[in-house]
Amino acid sequence: MRPPRTRHRRSSGLTLIELMVALTVLGALLVIGLPSFTNAILGNRLTAFANSFVSATQLGRSEAIKRNARIKLCVANAAGTACTTGGWQQGWLLFRDVDDDDNVDAGDVVMLRQTALGGGFVLVDTDSTPVSQLIFLPGGEIDVSRAFRLCRATPSPGGQERTIRIAATGRISGVVTTKN
């Protein structure tokens, strides 16, 4: 007589060793891939902020031509109701300043309000005499060409940059720069 066969049930889970190996491999992949992912996110944010500023300048130029009037792009105060001094990363204001008092009054036409750039980014005028406002003339030009640099303020400034140039004719161009 044969002994009865015992069926062994197969386990459908993982052993502790298999789980530890999988977690170790996952941890190694994260350590290798996370810095690249962070740089990609920062690059995307820089591109978005640069595109926002370029769009504001293009809108200012086109509105000056369309309305045959002076259009002002300036550093905005915290409320977004007047021009102020300081860095462009505080946000900007695009409007037709009818009475030329740097404030948004009842007769002024506001075309764009941009809030402050978040996440430790700076947008600076790189010319020897920085300005806190640009004025687009009725022909679409500005009085003097300007160059702006958008980069990360911390932890290491200038790792990735976007340079935005505005020619005296009003033509806008952007350059991506990366320092290693």
Side-chain angles (χ1 to χ4, degrees), residues 41-54:
I41 290 172
L42 289 173
N44 287 340
R45 290 179 70 195
L46 270 172
T47 300
F49 291 147
N51 287 344
S52 179
F53 188 71
V54 168

Side-chain angles (χ1 to χ4, degrees), residues 21-43:
V21 168
L23 287 176
T24 303
V25 169
L26 179 65
L29 289 175
L30 283 175
V31 166
I32 292 169
L34 196 57
S36 296
F37 187 66
T38 302
N39 283 336
I41 290 172
L42 289 173

Side-chain angles (χ1 to χ4, degrees), residues 100-168:
D100 203 31
D101 66 349
D102 291 342
N103 292 314
V104 178
D105 301 320
D108 296 338
V109 179
V110 176
M111 291 146 212
L112 178 71
R113 279 187 177 98
Q114 172 67 42
T115 59
L117 303 181
F121 289 92
V122 293
L123 177 62
V124 293
D125 185 345
T126 59
D127 289 331
S128 59
T129 55
V131 296
S132 58
Q133 64 180 329
L134 299 172
I135 297 175
F136 291 93
L137 302 173
E141 65 274 357
I142 60 174
D143 56 351
V144 65
S145 61
R146 308 301 308 172
F148 295 89
R149 186 182 78 224
L150 174 65
C151 66
R152 188 173 52 178
T154 57
S156 59
Q160 295 179 342
E161 295 180 348
R162 303 294 184 269
T163 302
I164 302 160
R165 291 187 176 88
I166 306 171

Side-chain angles (χ1 to χ4, degrees), residues 36-110:
S36 296
F37 187 66
T38 302
N39 283 336
I41 290 172
L42 289 173
N44 287 340
R45 290 179 70 195
L46 270 172
T47 300
F49 291 147
N51 287 344
S52 179
F53 188 71
V54 168
S55 295
T57 56
Q58 288 173 337
L59 178 63
R61 182 176 189 230
S62 67
E63 287 292 324
I65 294 168
K66 180 177 92 174
R67 296 171 187 266
N68 195 29
R70 293 167 36 116
I71 302 296
K72 190 176 287 188
L73 177 66
C74 65
V75 175
N77 64 3
T81 57
C83 296
T84 188
T85 58
W88 287 87
Q89 67 272 5
Q90 295 171 213
W92 49 85
L93 187 60
L94 180 69
F95 66 108
R96 172 143 191 250
D97 194 5
V98 176
D99 54 3
D100 203 31
D101 66 349
D102 291 342
N103 292 314
V104 178
D105 301 320
D108 296 338
V109 179
V110 176

